[in-house]
């Protein structure tokens, strides 16, 4: 069974159009090849590097034996495997969900591209929001645990797997710009947020700030989920604009909470921690320079997002004022018609 069935023409092997139309099938073959490697003893150890998170350590606790994980270079193989998986899932969501909706809506090409983008991100943000919330409930139950016992080298399985799949997803978004034939004017905008996600997630994972990172990702994903849901409703009916107002309030709240938590955890909590200094073997990066760099990165990102948000709201306000002015002019140009007593407007009298 082929994953992608949207094929109107047959193209030469390894041509550009052939790779674009069959990329999900090619990637699916690579995944099957890795899974087949588990069946043979000679290749099972290599195949398991791609499928299962590495660097596990089993320790004793009052609850019994508990397995923890830490990061390392072998994570790149696992990220590569789930990079392939996300490409396949992307194609499945596109073909069996979004394309069917697009055929009914009959959108223009520009709106169609934005609808596909929001549809894909809605699915991802919904799954990631629920997943990160589950991690917060089961792992980081209190606020001071965000910086207590730093460095947070030992991760539970769900935390490490969450970060690996997050990196895999945003890495897969880069070739998808080519596979989905994104317009040139849209590429720069999408590259901006893809690179920002990769930078922040990688920093949280490799600097052992995983607890703070999960909280910030949860807040960001819930906010972005609201935006893309509002945009989907807007594309189905342009009168649905109230959801943008709800998203606007949530967006400002998210920016405030994000900055507060970062200053509380990094600027206050880690600054008063006993483990000060740089130790690569222990995974300790609690120095003044690194703390200031992390805070500066987050503050600049939040400021940039707020600047884009203000521009978006001002554009909406100008468009609304322009529409109101046009309607008033059109109403003023219409000639007055004599009223008839038997007209429908007077039926209630």
């Amino acid at each position: 069974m082929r994953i992608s069935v949207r094929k109107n023409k047959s193209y030469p092997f390894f041509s550009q159009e052939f790779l674009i139309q069959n990329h999900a099938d090619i990637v699916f073959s690579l995944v099957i090849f890795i899974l087949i490697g588990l069946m043979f003893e000679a290749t099972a150890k290599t195949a398991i590097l791609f499928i299962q998170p590495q660097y596990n350590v089993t320790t004793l606790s009052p609850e019994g034996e508990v397995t923890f994980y830490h990061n390392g270079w072998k994570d790149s193989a696992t990220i590569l495997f789930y990079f392939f998986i996300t490409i396949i899932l992307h194609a499945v969501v596109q073909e069996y969900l979004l394309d069917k909706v697009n055929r009914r809506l009959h959108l223009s090409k520009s709106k169609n591209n934005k609808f596909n983008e929001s549809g894909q991100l809605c699915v991802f943000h919904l799954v990631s929001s629920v997943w990160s919330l589950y991690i917060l409930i089961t792992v980081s139950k209190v606020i001071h645990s965000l910086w207590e016992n730093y460095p947070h080298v030992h991760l539970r399985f769900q935390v490490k797997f969450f970060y690996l799949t997050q990196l895999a997803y945003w890495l897969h978004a880069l070739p998808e710009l080519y596979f989905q034939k994104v317009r040139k004017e849209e590429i720069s905008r999408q590259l901006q947020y893809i690179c920002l996600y990769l930078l922040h997630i990688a920093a949280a994972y490799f600097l052992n700030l995983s607890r703070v990172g999960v909280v910030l990702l949860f807040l960001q994903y819930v906010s972005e989920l609201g935006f893309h849901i509002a945009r989907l409703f807007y594309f189905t009916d342009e009168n649905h604009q109230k959801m943008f107002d709800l998203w606007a309030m949530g967006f400002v709240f998210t920016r405030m909470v994000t900055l507060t938590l970062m200053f509380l955890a990094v600027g206050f909590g880690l600054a008063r921690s006993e483990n000060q200094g740089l130790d690569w073997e222990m995974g300790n990066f609690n120095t003044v320079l690194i703390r200031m760099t992390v805070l500066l990165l987050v503050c600049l990102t939040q400021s940039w997002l707020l600047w884009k948000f203000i521009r978006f709201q001002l554009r909406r306000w100008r468009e609304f004022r322009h529409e109101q002015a046009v309607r008033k002019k059109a109403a003023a140009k219409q000639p007055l018609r004599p009223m008839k007593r038997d007209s429908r407007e007077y039926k209630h009298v």
Side-chain angles (χ1 to χ4, degrees):
M1 179 179 178
R2 303 178 71 87
I3 295 176
S4 179
V5 297
R6 294 178 297 162
K7 300 175 177 60
N8 300 322
K9 298 180 181 179
S10 59
Y11 296 95
F13 284 100
F14 304 111
S15 65
Q16 180 178 356
E17 291 297 331
F18 176 84
L19 292 176
I20 290 175
Q21 289 196 351
N22 298 276
H23 70 276
D25 297 320
I26 296 171
V27 170
F28 183 73
S29 302
L30 293 175
V31 171
I32 293 298
F33 178 77
I34 294 174
L35 294 176
I36 291 175
L38 294 173
M39 301 171 60
F40 304 97
E41 185 176 356
T43 58
K45 291 183 179 180
T46 303
I48 204 70
L49 291 175
F50 292 90
I51 302 171
Q52 180 178 325
Q54 302 299 305
Y55 304 105
N56 56 313
V57 178
T58 303
T59 59
L60 294 176
S61 68
E63 301 175 356
E65 291 187 352
V66 180
T67 302
F68 292 99
Y69 296 82
H70 59 90
N71 56 47
W73 66 269
K74 292 181 181 179
D75 292 337
S76 58
T78 311
I79 293 173
L80 178 63
F81 178 78
Y82 290 99
F83 167 86
F84 294 153
I85 296 295
T86 50
I87 290 179
I88 297 171
L89 294 177
H90 186 113
V92 171
V93 172
Q94 182 66 44
E95 180 174 338
Y96 294 101
L97 179 61
L98 299 179
D99 285 349
K100 291 183 178 180
V101 177
N102 283 331
R103 295 189 191 100
R104 296 182 179 182
L105 295 178
H106 304 289
L107 299 174
S108 63
K109 187 174 181 180
S110 60
K111 287 186 177 181
N112 185 36
N113 293 333
K114 291 182 179 179
F115 182 88
N116 290 334
E117 178 192 3
S118 291
Q120 293 284 350
L121 290 175
C122 269
V123 175
F124 171 72
H125 289 323
L126 178 61
V127 173
S128 297
S129 299
V130 175
W131 194 355
S132 57
L133 178 62
Y134 170 76
I135 292 174
L136 293 176
I137 293 174
T138 56
V139 178
S140 302
K141 298 181 179 180
V142 289
I143 189 67
H144 59 78
S145 66
L146 298 179
W147 62 82
E148 270 190 351
N149 302 320
Y150 179 84
H152 307 140
V153 178
H154 297 99
L155 309 175
R156 292 185 178 273
F157 173 82
Q158 61 265 30
V159 178
K160 173 158 185 173
F161 192 57
F162 174 78
Y163 273 98
L164 295 181
T165 52
Q166 292 295 309
L167 291 171
Y169 180 87
W170 291 111
L171 284 172
H172 113 281
L174 295 173
E176 286 294 342
L177 297 176
Y178 170 75
F179 295 142
Q180 299 298 322
K181 296 182 179 180
V182 177
R183 296 187 304 170
K184 292 182 179 180
E185 54 269 25
E186 289 289 324
I187 290 179
S188 60
R189 178 186 63 83
Q190 295 191 30
L191 274 177
Q192 287 175 354
Y193 70 74
I194 290 171
C195 293
L196 282 174
Y197 272 116
L198 285 172
L199 178 61
H200 285 73
I201 295 171
Y205 182 63
F206 292 107
L207 294 179
N208 297 315
L209 294 169
S210 57
R211 298 179 185 177
V212 180
V214 171
V215 176
L216 298 186
L217 284 175
F218 169 73
L219 294 171
Q220 177 65 18
Y221 286 157
V222 171
S223 174
E224 288 297 296
L225 178 62
F227 170 75
H228 290 290
I229 290 177
R231 194 157 75 158
L232 289 177
F233 276 101
Y234 174 77
F235 288 142
T236 57
D237 185 357
E238 294 187 357
N239 294 322
H240 288 148
Q241 297 193 16
K242 292 185 178 180
M243 295 192 67
F244 282 111
D245 298 329
L246 296 175
W247 162 75
M249 293 186 290
F251 181 89
V252 175
F253 175 77
T254 301
R255 304 285 78 79
M256 294 173 59
V257 175
T258 297
L259 290 173
T260 302
L261 282 177
M262 281 303 299
F263 278 101
L264 183 64
V266 179
F268 174 76
L270 292 182
R272 301 184 63 180
S273 175
E274 297 180 357
N275 295 328
Q276 300 286 334
L278 180 63
D279 191 341
W280 291 88
E281 294 183 358
M282 297 296 296
N284 187 10
F285 301 95
N286 191 9
T287 64
V288 176
L289 178 61
I290 294 178
R291 289 200 305 269
M292 294 301 295
T293 302
V294 171
L295 284 174
L296 182 62
L297 173 63
V298 174
C299 289
L300 288 176
T301 302
Q302 300 305 309
S303 301
W304 179 72
L305 291 174
L306 281 172
W307 176 68
K308 286 187 62 179
F309 171 78
I310 293 173
R311 288 183 58 191
F312 175 77
Q313 295 298 328
L314 288 176
R315 185 171 65 251
R316 284 187 63 207
W317 180 75
R318 286 195 297 265
E319 291 175 354
F320 176 76
R321 292 294 300 270
H322 177 71
E323 290 178 0
Q324 292 294 325
V326 171
R327 289 177 181 176
K328 288 181 179 179
K329 289 181 180 179
K333 290 180 180 179
Q334 290 180 356
L336 294 176
R337 298 179 180 178
M339 295 184 180
K340 298 180 180 180
R341 291 184 179 181
D342 58 344
S343 63
R344 295 182 181 180
E345 287 81 4
Y346 291 89
K347 281 190 174 182
H348 64 281
V349 178

